[in-house]
Amino acid sequence: MKPFSARALIEKTRDKHRLNKEEVQYLVNAYVEGTLNDYHLSAWLMAVYLNGLSREETVWLTHAMRDSGVKVPREAAASFWIDKHSTGGVGDKTSLILVPLVVTVCEKWLGPGAVRIPMVSGRGLGYTGGTLDKLESVPGFSSNLTMEAATRALEQNHFFMMGQTAQLVPADRKLYALRDCTATIESIPLIVASILSKKLAENLDGLVIDLKWGSGAFMHKQEDGRRLGEMLVGVARDSDVDAVAILSRMDEPLGYTAGHALEVQECYEYICDKRRERGLDNVTLALAGWMVSLCSRRKLSVGAATEACKEVLGSSKLEEQFLRMFTAQGGDWEAFQRRRESAQKSLQHLEYRAAKAGFLSRLDAGEMGRLLWEIGAGRDQVDAQIDLDVGLEFHKKVGDAVQAGEKIVSVYHRGADVAQVEVRLGSAIDVGEAAVSGPAWLSEVIDE
Ligand code: URA
């Protein structure tokens, strides 16, 4: 006999009554095992979409999903396990800087082996780029690690960067696919359970969440970002993970580039302290400061931790750690440089220039994301092939003065429809006469 009636559980959520822990666990486990049908879960998901879940129910859902598969095995050592999650945006490349930066600073300030970063990342979907795609633009890099290889990497290098596997949180894979075709993706408790079940399977002590809002983010309004952030932080803390969320703007692309190989090169220049775009600098250092502070179990203030991060930029130790991020998983950095040289020769260049002198007042992230997708850098289906070399370079950012005829954006493409690209850029870029200040990248921190 089945312990619960699926129909009764759907009715409860539909009528705004609370489920208990066993009922939530039953829905997840029975669906993963195949004893509940898609139509049962579809109806329940829609009831959740319409009526929400309480914080307790969201915690139980998150834990049931986390427990549907394996977890990253936790060694006995007293290191602090930390990760960051970003809701994604155009030109968002901070993970590639944060991993080497946080490892380097924690080793220096908190002692050897003080931190572990078990980073399970995704590929880009829609116009938001994925960390794995960027890493894989370095020839030879493999994100396909077995759990044994991932555990070895954590011991030896103190981090790993891998993709989702069939064994990690299978419930999320199944439920996400169902949410996608039942129009229930945009539900805060379902998003929270989806994100955190995967992060909790990493066995973390701390999590820093980068919540982006604006035209190039999946949340357009700050208050939506805040609601999601509060729930993410609350559920993570109820799961014994010290979490904070930072709300940051995504109205213009982050950094000077968008496109996978271009962004890897930009991260290299950033950590070598050769070129640091203001937005990328603000967001990365805020996230890094929080990550290091959490790793010190909050003994180091965020301000002091941020200063410590700034100090190591440009050091040979940080450069070594950055290169190790690729080489530890098979990446060949020299082959990456050869790849870039050959791409520079084979790609076509389109320069978008200012028609008049003034100040750049808009460089719309959403439009730039759509353009990236049109030139082949983004995917609309999880298994679609993408071009890792094409992309955009932003010579000017919002607030910069421009002269008539100066380059604003370069588009590196392979035979895109130039007229269409120019129309897209024209609708995304404004130059005004009045001086404007650049955006305040950081909006608020959720730490309670
Ligand atoms: N990211 C996830 O992993 N899941 C969601 O539901 C939304 C964003």
Side-chain angles (χ1 to χ4, degrees), residues 85 87 172 176 179 185 187 190-192 194-195 198 218:
H85 175 82
T87 52
D172 181 59
Y176 193 91
R179 285 166 59 205
I185 291 279
S187 147
L190 298 179
I191 294 172
V192 168
S194 169
I195 292 173
K198 289 174 284 195
F218 95 90

Side-chain angles (χ1 to χ4, degrees), residues 330-381:
D332 179 343
W333 187 251
E334 284 174 16
F336 173 73
Q337 295 303 340
R338 289 197 294 279
R339 171 188 197 138
R340 278 183 35 81
E341 277 165 32
S342 115
Q344 265 162 11
K345 288 184 198 138
S346 66
L347 291 168
Q348 290 167 253
H349 298 195
L350 182 158
E351 315 291 9
Y352 186 88
R353 294 173 186 273
K356 58 175 185 191
F359 294 87
L360 189 66
S361 57
R362 193 170 73 98
L363 182 64
D364 188 82
E367 289 291 342
M368 293 298 160
R370 284 181 276 281
L371 176 57
L372 271 178
W373 179 80
E374 282 164 5
I375 63 173
R379 57 169 76 71
D380 48 4
Q381 284 175 345

